């Protein structure tokens, strides 16, 4: 049976009409799912018995459960169990502007970025839209809070699971769904340029972040194998087209690795690469894991060089590293 959370409102309306139910029943079901947050069809008390029987016969709820919860200052990391006993991680961050949830989009990741723990577990499968949605629902229920911002930066490459991710965004953005505003949603990609173009054409007003981490092909290819397929010229050309078409600003994420990409020369090279683009750079202090990379001690020097070269830049706030919940540390290691 298909999970009920996998359906956009229009898809559910079509299914109901085809089975001799009313179109408005879909809105009623959405209200029970996303506003009243029921966990069974029997709780949908304004639906006729025939419709409840139809729903029970053809659809199921998601049985995602919390296996483990860890806490650090302003951070909660969740290890979540899926129906097939695979696990994923999601991280809730408390900011002064709201509650931001970082969700996973795949079980494992095939991008194999050298500095990232998530890529050490090869992709087992994509997550369905319902499994992304339920990361939100389960955590909101556990804490009794409203998640106001969403980042797709957990385990997996969102654009390697493009169709499910786009459906997920449409459902959570819908006024009758979870109703998270487009501009409160950020999708991060390592640079799959054909999917960036497709994302641009959909033009959902959702924020786009690019994991860059180096300004030349030799270094970036050594850190991020995807660069061997879509190199920097290809990526920057695509981003220019994206900015011209959408008139939206791009975020470039840049993890600073000690003696790898944190030199003065690297900052100048990055400044030259991005000059004139409607963008800003989010510098990320590296969160050390078991691999060879170390945290840079030149974060502010790098920041100052970008600033002097008229590149808009911020430094990401550091939190979550004590529970391996920080950028690059998510792995879903319950199976180790």
């Amino acid at each position: 049976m298909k999970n009920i959370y996998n359906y956009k409102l229009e898809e559910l309306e079509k299914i109901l009409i085809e089975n001799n139910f009313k179109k408005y029943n879909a809105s009623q079901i959405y209200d029970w799912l996303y506003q009243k947050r029921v966990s069974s069809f029997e709780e949908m008390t304004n639906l006729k018995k025939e419709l409840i029987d139809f729903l029970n016969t053809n659809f199921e709820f998601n049985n995602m459960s919390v296996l483990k919860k860890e806490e650090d200052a302003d951070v909660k990391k969740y290890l979540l169990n899926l129906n097939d006993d695979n696990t994923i991680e999601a991280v809730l961050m408390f900011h002064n502007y709201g509650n931001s949830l970082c969700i996973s989009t795949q079980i494992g990741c095939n991008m194999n970025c050298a500095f990232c723990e998530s890529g050490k577990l090869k992709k087992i499968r994509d997550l369905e839209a319902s499994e992304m949605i339920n990361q939100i629902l389960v955590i909101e229920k556990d804490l009794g809070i409203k998640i106001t911002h969403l980042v797709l930066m957990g385990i997996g490459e969102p654009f390697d699971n493009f169709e499910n991710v786009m459906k997920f965004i449409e459902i959570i953005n819908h006024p009758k769904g979870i109703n998270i505003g487009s501009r409160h949603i950020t999708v991060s990609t390592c640079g799959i340029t054909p999917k960036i173009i497709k994302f641009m054409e959909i033009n959902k007003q959702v924020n786009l972040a690019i994991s860059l981490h180096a300004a030349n092909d030799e270094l970036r290819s050594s850190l991020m194998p995807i660069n061997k397929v879509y190199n920097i010229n290809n990526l920057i050309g695509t981003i220019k087209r994206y900015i011209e078409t959408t008139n939206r600003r791009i975020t470039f994420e840049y993890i600073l690795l000690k003696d790898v990409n944190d030199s003065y020369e690297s900052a100048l090279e990055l400044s030259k690469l991005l000059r004139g683009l409607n963008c800003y750079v989010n510098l990320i202090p590296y969160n050390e894991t078991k691999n060879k990379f170390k945290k840079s001690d030149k974060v502010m020097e790098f920041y100052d060089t970008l600033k002097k070269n008229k590149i808009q830049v911020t430094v990401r706030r550091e939190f979550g590293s004590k529970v391996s919940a920080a950028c690059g540390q998510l792995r879903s290691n319950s199976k180790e």
Side-chain angles (χ1 to χ4, degrees), residues 289-306:
T289 61
K290 295 177 182 178
N291 66 34
K292 63 182 180 180
F293 299 107
K294 299 297 180 184
K295 185 175 184 176
S296 174
D297 55 4
K298 298 177 182 176
V299 174
M300 293 317 299
E301 290 91 334
F302 203 96
Y303 173 93
D304 289 340
T305 302
L306 294 183

Side-chain angles (χ1 to χ4, degrees), residues 152-209:
L152 282 70
M153 297 182 185
I155 298 168
E157 160 58 52
F159 283 177
D160 190 37
N161 185 18
F162 190 85
E163 299 303 327
N164 284 326
V165 164
M166 291 302 105
K167 176 178 277 195
F168 160 73
I169 289 173
E170 186 163 340
I171 292 170
I172 66 164
N173 179 234
H174 198 286
K176 293 185 178 181
I178 297 179
N179 195 23
I180 297 176
S182 295
R183 299 192 182 206
H184 289 181
I185 303 169
T186 300
V187 180
S188 176
T189 177
C190 63
I192 304 176
T193 57
K195 296 299 173 64
I196 294 174
I197 292 169
K198 196 170 181 181
F199 183 72
M200 171 192 76
E201 291 169 347
I202 293 172
N203 195 14
K204 279 295 215 179
Q205 299 296 303
V206 171
N207 301 312
L208 181 63

